[in-house]
């Protein structure tokens, strides 16, 4: 199969009805922090056990179409000795890989960051492909303050994200592009909308400049919300209306799928907001689904608590959260299901 055919096939699998993506690609410092929240030590073995539990949960393939992993996991095996990417394929889950190398300060723009990792990216991709990964993720961040993000940060980050996407497509892999406007702070929903629109407009201009095939890209954006210090939180309908307004202004209809990050929302908030978007009557030419990390994994980590005897309970917690998000992806979630499901 040629590279375009390969990408089309991956997109079809990732966007199949009722399913979404799990991000299980936390870097060493991030997974250490997440597990520490549940008094779990992060070691090569605890990470292997936990991430193979996610990939091997019986029946999870009904709700999860793809899992984004961190480099380390691609080479690890489950308890049956099957490599984790191949174990995913057994449940028709597409294995993916986070390929950026994290953030650094952007000189000339105090308070702004730029994402690293373009050097040797093509060579690294060849290795990931051999290990079974068919799609990739790269995350940029934009912090909101009185002075940030600057125009320079918006343009520089768009350029880097587009270069990444072009390199990934040259290998026949599908790039997830993630321009994350952070929730930290006390900014208004309107300010988040303004920054999200600016970041996404610059991104799509850059993707065109770099001749990225829009039909083979997945956008992973933040939802449009006020900063997390703002109370009370807006209703799901308000979030959906504001988010769809920005997306309709910025994202071409050629893009097949928009898979949101959860960004520090509670599990229930992230699910309800996605549901409201899918229920909204305004026209939306893309699949609207999830690519959550915390909003899918938090209950699983709580149920596991680092004790492998809790494996079945952890799997049940994962199935429940994934099923509720699958319903939200179809606009069929109801809050009562949190207690009755
Ligand atoms: P959250 O859903 O926890 O925001 O993580 C998504 C992600 O993959 C960030 O890169």
């Amino acid at each position: 199969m040629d590279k375009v055919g390969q990408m089309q096939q991956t997109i079809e699998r990732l966007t199949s009805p009722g399913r979404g993506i799990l991000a299980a690609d936390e870097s060493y410092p991030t997974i250490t922090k997440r597990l520490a929240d549940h008094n779990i030590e992060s070691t090569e073995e605890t990470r292997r056990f936990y991430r193979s539990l996610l990939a091997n949960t019986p029946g999870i393939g009904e709700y999860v179409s793809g899992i984004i992993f961190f480099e380390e996991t691609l080479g690890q095996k489950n308890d049956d000795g099957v490599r984790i990417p191949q174990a995913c394929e057994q449940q028709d889950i597409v294995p993916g890989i986070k390929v950026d190398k994290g953030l650094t300060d952007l000189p000339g723009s105090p308070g702004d960051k730029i994402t690293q990792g373009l050097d040797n990216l093509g060579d690294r991709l060849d290795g990931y492909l051999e290990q079974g990964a068919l799609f990739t993720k790269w995350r940029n961040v934009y912090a909101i303050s009185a002075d940030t993000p600057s125009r320079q940060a918006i343009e520089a980050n768009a350029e880097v994200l587009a270069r990444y996407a072009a390199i990934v497509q040259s290998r026949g892999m599908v790039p997830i592009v993630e321009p994350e406007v952070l929730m930290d702070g006390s900014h208004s929903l309107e300010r988040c909308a303004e920054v999200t629109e600016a970041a996404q407009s610059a991104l799509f201009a850059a993707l065109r400049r770099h001749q990225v095939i829009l039909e083979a890209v997945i956008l992973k954006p933040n939802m449009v919300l006020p900063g997390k210090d703002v109370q009370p939180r807006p209703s799901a309908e308000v979030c959906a209306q504001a988010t769809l307004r920005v997306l309709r202004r910025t994202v071409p209809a050629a893009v097949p799928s928009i898979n949101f990050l959860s960004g520090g929302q509670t599990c229930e908030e992230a699910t309800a907001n996605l549901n409201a978007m899918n229920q909204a009557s305004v026209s939306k030419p893309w699949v609207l689904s999830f690519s959550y990390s915390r909003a899918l994994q938090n209950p699983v980590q709580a149920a596991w608590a680092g004790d492998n005897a809790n494996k079945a309970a952890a799997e049940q917690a994962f199935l429940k959260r994934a099923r509720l998000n699958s319903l939200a992806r179809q606009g069929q979630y109801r809050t009562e299901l949190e207690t009755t499901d």
Side-chain angles (χ1 to χ4, degrees):
M1 202 187 306
D2 69 5
K3 287 176 183 152
V4 172
Q6 178 67 54
M7 289 189 283
Q8 269 166 355
Q9 191 180 71
T10 301
I11 286 283
E12 269 164 37
R13 294 180 66 196
L14 287 174
T15 59
S16 57
R19 304 203 296 168
I21 295 172
L22 165 69
D25 60 346
E26 300 83 1
S27 61
Y28 294 119
T30 304
I31 191 70
T32 300
K33 200 164 72 185
R34 300 271 186 270
L35 294 180
D37 287 343
H38 302 278
N39 296 315
I40 306 167
E41 196 187 348
S42 174
T43 65
E44 188 177 343
E45 175 52 20
T46 57
R47 293 189 297 271
R48 183 203 67 80
F49 178 86
Y50 172 65
R51 285 167 168 161
S52 55
L53 181 155
L54 295 171
N56 287 282
T57 292
I60 200 67
E62 196 179 332
Y63 313 117
V64 172
S65 60
I67 304 181
I68 315 168
F69 290 112
F70 184 64
E71 230 172 14
E72 174 189 54
T73 316
L74 289 189
Q76 289 179 320
K77 294 181 177 164
N78 68 12
D79 291 344
D80 299 328
V82 179
R83 290 199 25 255
I84 291 175
Q86 280 65 47
C88 285
E89 290 286 0
Q90 290 171 355
Q91 300 217 72
D92 191 25
I93 295 170
V94 187
I97 173 77
K98 164 207 175 78
V99 302
D100 68 68
K101 293 281 183 188
L103 307 172
T104 188
D105 290 342
L106 179 63
S109 197
D112 280 316
K113 302 282 182 194
I114 187 92
T115 307
Q116 315 177 88
L118 287 177
D119 285 355
N120 305 323
L121 177 57
D123 295 340
R124 287 198 285 128
L125 291 173
D126 293 338
Y128 301 144
L129 258 176
E130 252 171 56
Q131 291 179 295
L134 295 174
F135 73 104
T136 65
K137 185 193 96 174
W138 177 293
R139 172 176 178 254
N140 286 352
V141 304
Y142 307 82
I144 296 185
S145 72
D147 309 315
T148 63
S150 66
R151 176 46 52 189
Q152 177 200 351
I154 285 173
E155 294 299 338
N157 274 289
E159 184 71 13
V160 164
L161 205 39
R163 287 198 55 208
Y164 141 80
I167 297 168
V168 169
Q169 288 192 341
S170 78
R171 297 315 201 261
M173 298 169 91
V174 169
I176 294 184
V177 293
E178 181 180 7
E180 177 175 5
V181 178
L182 297 172
M183 255 174 54
D184 300 320
S186 55
H187 52 265
S188 65
L189 174 144
E190 290 72 24
R191 174 91 170 110
C192 176
E194 176 187 77
V195 172
T196 304
E197 185 170 333
Q200 289 180 5
S201 303
L203 170 60
F204 282 99
L207 291 173
R208 283 177 204 280
R209 209 157 55 235
H210 287 270
Q211 293 159 56
V212 171
I213 302 166
L214 294 178
E215 290 79 358
V217 163
I218 291 177
L219 176 68
K220 175 166 175 167
N222 53 285
M223 295 181 192
V224 173
L225 287 165
K228 68 171 186 245
D229 300 340
V230 173
Q231 292 294 341
R233 305 302 297 162
S235 67
E237 289 66 33
V238 167
C239 164
Q241 197 182 29
T243 306
L244 288 171
R245 181 176 157 94
V246 169
L247 293 174
R248 280 160 43 89
R249 287 177 168 207
T250 54
V251 187
V255 172
S257 189
I258 298 176
N259 292 61
F260 294 96
L261 60 94
S262 59
Q265 299 176 65
T266 64
C267 293
E268 292 79 6
E269 225 183 329
T271 307
N273 288 343
L274 175 63
N275 189 60
M277 280 188 250
N278 278 306
Q279 281 188 342
S281 54
V282 68
S283 104
K284 34 198 193 274
W286 337 268
V287 167
L288 293 173
S289 187
F290 55 89
S291 176
Y292 299 155
S293 162
R294 282 165 287 179
L296 277 169
Q297 293 190 60
N298 206 18
V300 191
Q301 291 164 357
W304 170 44
D307 181 348
N308 296 358
N310 296 330
K311 182 175 171 191
E315 289 174 344
Q316 284 312 310
F318 185 29
L319 277 171
K320 173 175 177 178
R321 210 64 242 156
R323 186 167 55 241
L324 293 176
N325 281 303
S326 164
L327 289 171
R329 182 236 192 271
Q330 302 166 78
Q332 291 170 9
Y333 164 81
R334 286 173 293 116
T335 31
E336 305 88 82
L337 296 173
E338 293 288 344
T339 44
T340 57
D341 191 62

